[in-house]
Amino acid sequence: MVTYRPMTEADVPAAVAAFDSGLLTMLARYQLPVTGNSIQDERRRQERTRHFLGTDPDGSWVATDGGTVIGMSQSFVREDYWMLSQLGTVPGRQGHGVGRELLRLALQHGDAHSPGTIQCSRDPKAMALYTSFGFVLHPVVAAWGVMRPGSVARPAAVRRFEPAEVTGSELDVIAAIDRKVRGSARTVDIVSMLAHPGNRLLLHADQGYAVARDERIVTLGARQEESAALVLRAMLAEAPVGETIEVNWLTSAQQWAIRVVVEAGIELLPYGPVMVRGMDGPPTPYIPSGGYG
């Protein structure tokens, strides 16, 4: 018999394993690329899960059967902006109502009428589930592949900060940009993202920023498209030669980003969608993180 209860610290490893197994099965089913952000990385996923368990315990749930965790969901709220961080079940449990109940529980955290966003998988059942709860679908492409050598020059106006160099001043700039583009700041999440090994901050004055790794944009926000494009170009220019690049969650409103990655010779693949409620569309110019929103 399946039971549902609030997530505990002891549940985190099993909850992450349940999410990972469902994700990797979905990627294989739809022949999607297994990127550096989707292969098994238990430590990073567990840290993220513990982060939201700490900040938003009321949004963290598990489904169990016979004492074994078979699914999990996590939602969080930042200044009245609701987001689903994770929702997944182990293979074989989809289509039996487990995901629906986990989503219903996650949606109880926060104001049901507030703006909200979900980064959805390619699974048609997931799209149908979120649609049935009132979320509107926006198709997505991902840039995934190797850049054409020498195709991107690094903009001198974009500064790079290693995590230890980021001060309250930079965090205040990011919070102001996020409030402009998203309607809500998320400083606690930016700090958590920067704590992951390999992540860094790229900043264009007080106009645009990205948390980035060598090969991917973790998240990006800007006051206007020109700054967003500059920050994206800085990330691409810093990428190691021959690295497989990943820039995900690009909706039709993000033509500025699509132009940059196409100019760099990176292929575009269908991957998404982004689902929203209480807003006309996903924030722009903005690239969300799959887990941090």
Side-chain angles (χ1 to χ4, degrees):
M1 178 179 177
V2 179
T3 59
Y4 303 87
R5 58 173 173 79
M7 186 186 297
T8 68
E9 170 70 24
D11 292 323
V12 170
V16 170
F19 179 87
D20 280 346
S21 63
L23 172 66
L24 294 174
T25 299
M26 182 277 298
L27 293 174
R29 181 185 304 129
Y30 298 107
Q31 300 181 321
L32 296 171
V34 178
T35 68
N37 188 40
S38 58
I39 61 174
Q40 193 81 358
D41 187 350
E42 290 189 11
R43 180 177 179 180
R44 177 177 55 82
R45 293 189 197 277
Q46 288 186 21
E47 287 175 352
R48 185 180 69 196
T49 302
R50 290 189 178 96
H51 168 71
F52 289 120
L53 181 59
T55 64
D56 294 72
D58 292 343
S60 300
W61 295 86
V62 293
T64 64
D65 191 353
T68 299
V69 174
I70 62 168
M72 60 92 78
S73 63
Q74 277 196 307
S75 64
F76 61 99
V77 178
R78 297 290 178 264
E79 298 183 354
D80 295 326
Y81 191 115
W82 182 93
M83 302 207 69
L84 183 69
S85 174
Q86 303 179 87
L87 172 65
T89 62
V90 297
R93 293 289 184 159
Q94 293 88 356
H96 299 284
V98 177
R100 174 172 291 274
E101 180 61 14
L102 285 168
L103 177 60
R104 187 189 70 79
L105 291 166
L107 285 164
Q108 290 181 348
H109 180 49
D111 182 353
H113 302 289
S114 69
T117 307
I118 300 173
Q119 276 68 249
C120 181
S121 74
R122 279 279 302 277
D123 187 346
K125 292 179 180 177
M127 298 181 205
L129 174 62
Y130 300 142
T131 299
S132 73
F133 278 86
F135 285 81
V136 178
L137 185 151
H138 292 263
V140 159
V141 294
W144 192 84
V146 178
M147 280 192 302
R148 188 168 52 248
S151 59
V152 181
R154 194 190 189 290
V158 177
R159 299 174 63 193
R160 170 174 173 156
F161 296 81
E162 297 303 322
E165 299 172 324
V166 177
T167 69
S169 177
E170 287 78 42
L171 292 175
D172 287 345
V173 168
I174 294 170
I177 293 170
D178 274 344
R179 287 195 179 101
K180 173 66 168 60
V181 68
R182 293 164 33 104
S184 68
R186 48 171 180 166
T187 301
V188 65
D189 303 321
I190 295 294
V191 170
S192 181
M193 289 183 225
L194 289 171
H196 290 299
N199 287 356
R200 62 186 184 274
L201 173 67
L202 301 172
L203 191 62
H204 176 228
D206 62 352
Q207 296 297 303
Y209 77 92
V211 177
R213 302 190 71 172
D214 284 343
E215 78 288 359
R216 63 182 294 262
I217 290 289
V218 178
T219 190
L220 181 154
R223 294 178 179 274
Q224 35 83 26
E225 292 183 354
E226 290 77 8
S227 287
L230 285 174
V231 174
L232 177 54
R233 287 193 178 95
M235 171 262 159
L236 295 175
E238 292 181 357
V241 175
E243 186 72 70
T244 297
I245 302 300
E246 180 183 359
V247 183
N248 209 340
W249 309 114
L250 302 179
T251 64
S252 62
Q254 310 282 30
Q255 296 300 318
W256 60 270
I258 291 171
R259 286 192 294 269
V260 170
V261 296
V262 167
E263 289 168 2
I266 307 170
E267 293 186 355
L268 295 172
L269 302 172
Y271 196 104
V274 173
M275 316 285 292
V276 303
R277 74 175 187 196
M279 60 181 81
D280 294 334
T284 182
Y286 183 75
I287 300 175
S289 159
Y292 284 95

